Amino acid sequence: MEQDYVQDFSREELLQESRLETAREEGIIEGKRNVAKEMLNDKDLSLEKISSFTGLTVEELTKIKSNIN
């Protein structure tokens, strides 16, 4: 009985850690997109340069840019 509780607790803890990691990764991606939006307003920066700074692909940046305008 106690072992079942420990196993259930361990599974729940792993699930929570997984959810936290997923949320963290999503937050990082959203942060990159927000930075990219600001950078796209700077006409002197190319999509390639913004891509190198943010790690987002040129295709992703093009999509973000089309949603801004």
Side-chain angles (χ1 to χ4, degrees):
M1 178 95 158
E2 186 177 323
Q3 186 176 4
D4 290 339
Y5 173 77
V6 171
Q7 287 177 345
D8 287 344
F9 181 77
S10 295
R11 275 190 226 119
E12 185 63 29
E13 188 175 35
L14 288 173
L15 183 59
Q16 287 178 346
E17 287 176 13
S18 175
R19 288 177 182 156
L20 179 61
E21 183 62 29
T22 299
R24 185 177 297 123
E25 290 170 2
E26 290 172 358
I28 290 169
I29 292 168
E30 188 61 30
K32 288 180 178 184
R33 289 180 180 143
N34 288 337
V35 168
K37 285 178 188 177
E38 293 298 320
M39 294 176 82
L40 287 165
N41 289 324
D42 186 337
K43 304 301 180 200
D44 293 332
L45 292 174
S46 68
L47 292 178
E48 291 77 14
K49 185 66 104 173
I50 296 170
S51 175
S52 71
F53 289 146
T54 63
L56 299 173
T57 66
V58 172
E59 291 78 20
E60 289 172 298
L61 294 170
T62 303
K63 185 176 179 180
I64 291 169
K65 188 174 183 175
S66 69
N67 289 332
I68 293 173
N69 300 329

